[in-house]
Amino acid sequence: MTAIKDVSGLVAVVTGGASGIGKGIAQRLAERGANVVIADIEEGPLSTTAAEIAAVGVRTDVSDAASVQALADQVLDRFGKVHLVFNNAGVAPESAIADMTVVDWKWIIDVNLHGVIHGVNAFLPLLKQHGEPAYMVNTSSMGGFVADMPGLGAYATTKFAIMALTEALACELEREGSTVGAAVLAPGTVRSNIARSLRTRPAGVEDSSFVQNDISENKELAALRWLDPAEVGDIVLAGLARGETHIVTHPEWYPMVAERAARIEAAFGRASAVTAGEL
């Protein structure tokens, strides 16, 4: 099992690093002595954050495989190796699934899922090649455990996929005795810019069903425990120090996951009864 207790001197890359959870992770890495590269599609916030936390900023569109590969090449050229990769960039617009267009689906899948896949393809070989302890962390969501979230079915679809990808990757790395670990980050309510995801959607898209609501303005959700991004950074680094494969920010939300597990268990029980000829 790979665990990383000290990030000082390590090279870390954080996508979506100019704001929100990505910035919180990057900030904590920089404070603990890591050489940090932040990647983001928004040039203004990227430059500001890079200067603020003493990181290297590289404009990157995670939905574009060539852009992510260029990021990996720049990191390798500058530092010679990379130890920590956080595939964190993502969007969370809202729509009923029945109202979504193929174009809507393409955008959210390109950013949330293909963005992670591109990060894995570009950086996993680099994490492996130096033989030193390394880690890849892919940001999913509590929506990667439970899909019953009004308006966020497409978001949950991508986050379930990230959960599966990362769990499979972690198993493969463990089986091969790799020095690289993999973990999925499942945040709950965090004060970030994800409520403004539509600001990064390419211009010229027509007939989209997506809207953007600030969930912090929902009275029920506003009453939940909200974290600052830097607190998520603390949780993530603590998870790496323990060698975790699943890093959760809101353990008090487990009953929602347990309820889903109970429904699945009941379905298996009914299937067993049919198989046994009891129904």
Side-chain angles (χ1 to χ4, degrees):
M1 178 186 73
T2 298
I4 296 182
K5 300 180 184 297
D6 183 6
V7 301
S8 179
L10 301 186
V11 179
V13 178
V14 185
T15 69
S19 64
I21 290 173
K23 180 179 179 180
I25 294 171
Q27 177 184 338
R28 289 303 193 236
L29 287 165
E31 290 171 353
R32 299 187 189 188
N35 299 298
V36 181
V37 178
I38 57 172
D40 205 282
I41 198 170
E42 293 190 285
E43 293 187 16
L46 178 65
S47 298
T48 299
T49 298
E52 179 184 337
I53 68 173
V56 176
V58 178
R59 187 187 180 279
T60 306
D61 178 357
V62 298
S63 70
D64 179 358
S67 182
V68 178
Q69 185 60 56
L71 168 66
D73 293 342
Q74 288 187 56
V75 173
L76 196 62
D77 288 345
R78 184 177 184 117
F79 295 103
K81 62 179 68 173
V82 60
H83 302 88
L84 302 168
V85 174
F86 300 85
N87 292 310
N88 168 77
V91 293
E94 297 180 36
S95 174
I97 287 175
D99 296 334
M100 289 181 61
T101 66
V102 171
V103 174
D104 289 334
W105 276 109
K106 185 178 186 308
W107 177 58
I108 194 169
I109 290 173
D110 279 350
V111 176
N112 286 5
L113 179 55
H114 289 158
V116 173
I117 292 170
H118 296 156
V120 172
N121 285 349
F123 283 100
L124 186 58
L126 303 185
L127 294 176
K128 288 183 171 185
Q129 72 180 18
H130 51 65
E132 301 169 13
Y135 235 107
M136 177 169 284
V137 179
N138 299 326
T139 300
S140 176
S141 168
M142 288 303 294
F145 291 116
V146 179
D148 184 15
M149 301 182 297
L152 291 173
Y155 171 80
T157 298
T158 62
K159 296 303 181 176
F160 264 72
I162 292 168
M163 189 77 69
L165 183 159
T166 311
E167 289 179 354
L169 176 60
C171 288
E172 290 175 2
L173 293 169
E174 184 176 5
R175 288 190 187 113
E176 67 188 48
S178 177
T179 58
V180 182
V184 62
L185 170 61
T189 41
V190 180
R191 298 182 186 94
S192 72
N193 285 336
I194 202 163
R196 296 174 51 241
S197 295
L198 289 178
R199 74 192 189 281
T200 62
R201 184 161 192 183
V205 176
E206 298 179 358
D207 300 324
S208 173
S209 65
F210 281 137
V211 297
Q212 193 70 75
N213 296 314
D214 187 346
I215 63 171
S216 67
E217 296 178 357
N218 178 292
K219 289 184 179 180
E220 183 177 348
L221 295 177
L224 298 174
R225 183 169 63 96
W226 285 75
L227 298 178
D228 288 326
E231 293 179 281
V232 179
D234 290 331
I235 293 168
V236 169
L237 293 186
L240 298 189
R242 295 191 300 268
E244 299 280 9
T245 56
H246 294 75
I247 302 172
V248 176
T249 63
H250 288 69
E252 68 270 27
W253 290 15
Y254 178 71
M256 291 189 298
V257 180
E259 181 181 347
R260 176 174 180 266
R263 293 197 300 270
I264 294 171
E265 182 179 6
F268 273 86
R270 290 190 295 270
S272 296
V274 171
T275 301
E278 297 175 6
L279 293 178

